[in-house]
Amino acid sequence: MAHTVHKFSSEILKSASDIRKLVSIIPKTNSICVVSGLGETNTLFRELVKSAGQGNQEKALFIFEQIKQAHLAIANELNIPPRHLESCFIELNNRLRIIISSSERVYNEDYDAIVSYASILATTIIARYANLPIIDALKVIKTDGQFNNAKIDVDLSLKLFSEQLVNQSCFVAGNIGSDQKNRPTTFNVHGSNYTAATLAAFVKANEIVIWTSKNGISVIKDKLIPDSLHNSKIDYDGISAIVHVNPMIFSRYTFNIIQQNKLKIHIRNLYDQRNDGTYITATTTAPYLLINEFSNLSMVNFDRLIKIPDLETIPYSLAANDHSSIIINGNLIDQINKIFNSISHHFVANIYTVFITSNCLSERVFNQLIKTLEEQKLSPLTYQLNTRKNLSVLVFDQSVNKQKAIEIIYHHLISIIQQ
């Protein structure tokens, strides 16, 4: 029977009751559970690294004690004896004192050595409560040694992990591995998802279930629309267009693993398990809609990479005091050229750009949207629909009423997807 990989995000690891809930959904066999750090302790670990790196022993030891008591409190509620965590605290304390007393500090190496304990401690607590084994990520996930941005040595890690894997469900700490000298390394953005995707590829998992506090992937990623609907199904093309602009759940590197191995992703809400969440698969015939909004892109000291897949990189200079630039990597060709030539002639101010990815956005529907915006005196400075890549780009003058423009785009497109 194929394995399922479960990944548990920090946002749902805040209390003993959260841990009881997640343990109740884990089968006793054929599940690999990847664990992030507990709730807000990730922030404490980062503050701990900073204080230790500055040689501030008093503050570092105070934060260490906060971290220790936070984990012991949850362990106590789950009736886990403190002795099961003691070795972790001793190792962490020793490492901390070495960093504080050292005259030569290497920030990224120190960061990984300290922060790795966030997921190690969380994994120890949850696995003890679930009475399931732990596969030590530091022993089986080998990396290239790039601190804070490591890449996994696939061949070696596959061999080591396979030797440890059994049919019984197990736990693995997320976002960590070790280099050839056994020094801890972390994976940077969404690192636990990188761990989950890699292990899923190793075992040819039937799916990766990412447990969060949300009902899936929102139609729109913007604080102006907090109660956005969620997509039930999205294909790789839809996710790719957004990931290349702004990683939401996966780094581009993790998403490449998902695509190459045709992994099925299921994003679910731990607190609302009746909700089906969002499925991410190679293809889907279901309509979906993603809107990613960027604001306050200052043209002064501004240099940003906006990526739209599959074309050579083409630089466009913008009219700004310091010759700032945007680099487009995409499939809009002449239209994009006109768009950014237009910007360069009109702007020394701010703009914001709305990217819309939808497999149900026809030219007729897009033109209706533009007409609606124009009627409300919210005309985009320039815009373009690319039907082949299911992508549209709207560029607005920052003086346009941002909230009203976003709301019109959102409600107009939602009315289509609900038809």
Side-chain angles (χ1 to χ4, degrees):
M1 182 177 177
H3 282 79
T4 296
V5 174
H6 295 265
K7 184 264 180 170
F8 299 103
S9 306
S10 294
E11 65 195 79
I12 57 165
L13 300 176
K14 294 180 178 179
S15 66
S17 62
D18 286 344
I19 292 172
R20 291 189 189 97
K21 188 182 292 289
L22 75 84
V23 167
S24 71
I25 64 176
I26 299 170
K28 291 297 182 182
T29 59
N30 298 305
S31 287
I32 301 168
C33 304
V34 177
V35 179
S36 303
L38 297 183
E40 300 303 319
T41 62
N42 289 317
T43 301
L44 287 175
F45 274 99
R46 287 190 288 269
E47 291 177 359
L48 182 60
V49 176
K50 182 178 179 180
S51 298
Q54 293 170 344
N56 189 336
Q57 179 171 325
E58 182 179 354
K59 185 174 181 180
L61 294 178
F62 175 76
I63 296 171
F64 168 77
E65 193 61 30
Q66 284 184 295
I67 290 171
K68 181 177 180 179
Q69 294 307 318
H71 287 86
L72 287 175
I74 290 178
N76 182 58
E77 279 194 64
L78 298 171
N79 296 317
I80 298 169
R83 68 176 184 275
H84 293 301
L85 302 178
E86 197 58 38
S87 63
C88 288
F89 292 131
I90 292 172
E91 292 168 8
L92 178 56
N93 196 343
N94 290 341
R95 180 69 194 196
L96 198 58
R97 292 179 184 277
I98 291 171
I99 294 171
I100 292 170
S101 61
S102 175
S103 58
E104 295 183 7
R105 300 186 181 99
V106 184
Y107 179 79
N108 284 339
E109 182 177 347
D110 294 340
Y111 178 95
D112 286 6
I114 297 294
V115 170
S116 59
Y117 282 97
S119 54
I120 290 172
L121 283 163
T123 302
T124 302
I125 291 172
I126 299 170
R128 286 287 178 183
Y129 180 71
N131 195 27
L132 289 171
I134 295 172
I135 294 180
D136 189 342
L138 294 177
K139 292 181 178 178
V140 302
I141 298 180
K142 289 298 178 178
T143 72
D144 60 4
Q146 294 186 66
F147 296 109
N148 199 225
N149 191 27
K151 298 298 182 291
I152 294 173
D153 181 330
V154 172
D155 292 337
L156 179 56
S157 300
L158 173 58
K159 177 180 180 296
L160 294 172
F161 181 74
S162 299
E163 291 171 354
Q164 298 291 320
L165 187 64
V166 294
N167 287 333
Q168 187 180 15
S169 294
C170 62
F171 282 84
V172 182
N175 190 35
I176 63 170
S178 66
D179 66 8
Q180 296 304 315
K181 296 180 180 179
N182 296 321
R183 296 173 300 182
T185 53
T186 66
F187 304 138
N188 208 334
V189 61
H190 303 306
S192 292
N193 286 339
Y194 180 29
T195 301
T198 301
L199 298 184
F202 285 174
V203 300
K204 297 180 172 55
N206 53 16
E207 72 174 2
I208 303 172
V209 185
I210 299 177
W211 293 94
T212 73
S213 60
K214 302 176 180 63
N215 287 334
I217 295 180
S218 299
V219 165
I220 186 168
K221 182 180 175 63
D222 192 285
K223 62 184 178 182
L224 296 178
I225 313 288
D227 298 321
S228 170
L229 294 179
H230 291 78
N231 292 284
S232 60
K233 294 180 181 179
I234 303 175
D235 60 23
Y236 287 170
D237 283 344
I239 293 295
S240 178
I242 299 300
V243 165
H244 275 75
V245 177
N246 181 30
M248 299 183 302
I249 303 169
F250 313 112
S251 66
R252 281 172 283 174
Y253 198 84
T254 300
F255 190 63
N256 287 340
I257 295 172
I258 292 169
Q259 286 184 296
Q260 290 166 8
N261 293 277
K262 294 182 170 56
L263 298 173
K264 179 181 178 182
I265 314 295
H266 190 187
I267 299 173
R268 298 193 62 189
N269 188 341
L270 181 69
Y271 308 117
D272 184 9
Q273 295 178 35
R274 292 173 298 178
N275 192 296
D276 286 337
T278 299
Y279 285 96
I280 302 172
T281 53
T283 59
T284 180
T285 57
Y288 63 82
L289 183 64
L290 298 168
I291 306 175
N292 202 40
E293 191 275 336
F294 292 84
S295 61
N296 299 321
L297 303 184
S298 174
M299 306 300 285
V300 179
N301 296 321
F302 173 69
D303 187 18
R304 189 178 187 95
L305 183 68
I306 298 179
K307 284 193 173 181
I308 305 166
D310 293 342
L311 264 202
E312 60 185 325
T313 298
I314 308 172
Y316 291 88
S317 294
L318 301 178
N321 296 333
D322 62 349
H323 306 290
S324 299
S325 64
I326 289 180
I327 297 176
I328 302 285
N329 185 16
N331 193 34
L332 303 183
I333 316 174
D334 293 338
Q335 291 86 348
I336 281 287
N337 197 7
K338 293 176 184 177
I339 288 174
F340 285 94
N341 282 339
S342 173
I343 293 175
S344 66
H345 290 307
H346 286 84
F347 277 99
V348 190
N350 293 338
I351 62 170
Y352 63 87
T353 307
V354 178
F355 291 81
I356 305 170
T357 304
S358 172
N359 67 352
C360 60
L361 192 62
S362 67
E363 185 172 358
R364 178 184 62 81
V365 168
F366 187 70
N367 289 336
Q368 286 178 348
L369 170 60
I370 299 302
K371 183 178 179 181
T372 303
L373 289 166
E374 289 174 343
E375 287 172 351
Q376 297 294 320
K377 303 188 185 307
L378 299 169
S379 303
L381 176 75
T382 184
Y383 50 85
Q384 177 62 38
L385 170 71
N386 185 319
T387 53
R388 190 177 73 81
K389 296 299 292 183
N390 301 316
L391 180 72
S392 61
V393 183
L394 298 88
V395 180
F396 290 87
D397 180 342
Q398 188 64 32
S399 64
V400 167
N401 186 316
K402 173 183 168 185
Q403 180 160 358
K404 190 172 182 182
I406 293 294
E407 286 178 348
I408 285 176
I409 294 168
Y410 174 73
H411 292 297
H412 180 90
L413 296 174
I414 286 300
S415 67
I416 300 161
I417 204 170
Q418 291 181 324
Q419 288 178 0

